[in-house]
Amino acid sequence: MNSQWNELAAIKRELAARDWFPGTSGNLSIKVSEDPLTCLVTVSGKDKYKETESDFVLVDEDGRPLTDQGKPSAETVIHLEVYKKTDAGCSLHVHTLDNNVISELYGEKGSITFRNVELIKALDIWEEDGEFTIPIVENWADLPKLGKAISEKIKPDTKAVLIRNHGITVWGRNAFEAKRHLEACEFLFSYQLKLLHAKAANLKEVL
Ligand SMILES: CSCCC(=O)C(=O)COP(=O)(O)O
Ligand SMILES: [Zn+2]
């Protein structure tokens, strides 16, 4: 479990450096065993910019704590749904301004699709006319309901789900891949928002 702890701590440090944990938001997990399913998940309500010896707690497949670092993330159920539905080894959830605004702009549509942007290759889309879609679910306060809503949106090629006006949950087979996927998604959100602004301001007319 030591190596998974260190890997998750390193990711947490890197995401903190990007300022992706405002107001104690966000939670991270890494799978420790497949059968039975166990994972290390961030302790609920902590300042994720700080590093302590009780940042993570081991949980079982029902989210019950198996070690005594504290209360597992309130959103542990989402991480567990991801592990149960995919081959993920690491799951990351962050609230950023860009992912919140995108989730609201495209919330009614139920998804956002990116094409013709080089960085979709970081999400393993290499075809000439490839596209990458992120489903968007409502932000149900009932967390098991939210977990189920996310689980229902996960298809074989899904790598991330947006929760409306809340944040993103993104995963990968390992921590490196999960972080690459998260960085790519956040790049795409920022790109899309800048593109929408440029179009609204008719910037092409100026050129
Ligand atoms: C302070 S943000 C509200 C809770 C949330 O959405 C989140 O990501 C953090 O919850 P946790 O229990 O994992 O600290
Ligand atoms: Zn959250």
Side-chain angles (χ1 to χ4, degrees):
M1 192 169 78
N2 243 0
S3 70
Q4 288 98 344
W5 182 292
N6 292 337
E7 229 179 327
L8 198 57
I11 292 257
K12 179 170 159 286
R13 205 173 300 131
E14 290 177 46
L15 302 189
R18 289 178 175 273
D19 201 11
W20 281 352
F21 297 129
T24 74
S25 66
N27 35 74
L28 317 175
S29 75
I30 193 163
K31 197 193 273 184
V32 172
S33 64
E34 181 77 47
D35 192 12
L37 174 62
T38 66
C39 67
L40 281 170
V41 64
T42 41
V43 167
S44 184
K46 289 191 80 165
D47 179 350
K48 280 97 186 183
Y49 292 111
K50 301 244 161 66
E51 281 185 51
T52 77
E53 285 175 4
S54 56
D55 281 346
F56 313 117
V57 54
L58 187 72
V59 297
D60 69 12
E61 61 188 356
D62 297 314
R64 282 184 294 253
L66 299 170
T67 54
D68 59 5
Q69 282 83 5
K71 193 170 162 287
S73 166
E75 294 165 355
T76 297
V77 61
I78 298 172
H79 295 262
L80 291 169
E81 291 290 351
V82 167
Y83 293 129
K84 288 172 189 171
K85 197 81 192 263
T86 73
D87 63 354
C90 180
S91 158
L92 308 173
H93 168 75
V94 296
H95 302 198
T96 67
L97 267 177
D98 287 353
N99 71 37
N100 271 249
V101 174
I102 287 285
S103 74
E104 179 55 16
L105 285 176
Y106 292 85
E108 287 303 316
K109 280 191 173 173
S111 66
I112 179 166
T113 296
F114 298 94
R115 49 181 80 81
N116 300 321
V117 189
E118 181 70 5
L119 219 74
I120 63 173
K121 289 179 180 167
L123 294 139
D124 305 305
I125 316 289
W126 292 86
E127 307 95 284
E128 190 63 48
D129 299 316
E131 51 183 46
F132 173 64
T133 296
I134 307 179
I136 305 170
V137 300
E138 289 302 319
N139 186 24
W140 304 110
D142 176 336
L143 289 165
K145 182 173 175 176
L146 178 58
K148 194 164 175 285
I150 290 173
S151 175
E152 283 169 1
K153 292 288 180 190
I154 299 176
K155 305 290 173 251
D157 57 349
T158 309
K159 295 185 171 74
V161 175
L162 275 165
I163 309 166
R164 195 166 175 179
N165 279 319
H166 177 160
I168 190 168
T169 289
V170 50
W171 56 89
R173 283 168 298 179
N174 50 49
F176 174 80
E177 195 176 82
K179 181 171 157 280
R180 190 183 75 212
H181 291 169
L182 174 58
E183 288 174 344
C185 287
E186 291 296 330
F187 176 96
L188 292 169
F189 298 150
S190 176
Y191 165 83
Q192 187 67 12
L193 291 173
K194 287 191 171 65
L195 187 66
L196 291 174
H197 275 119
K199 282 182 176 169
N202 242 334
L203 287 185
K204 272 196 174 167
E205 298 281 296
V206 182
L207 299 173

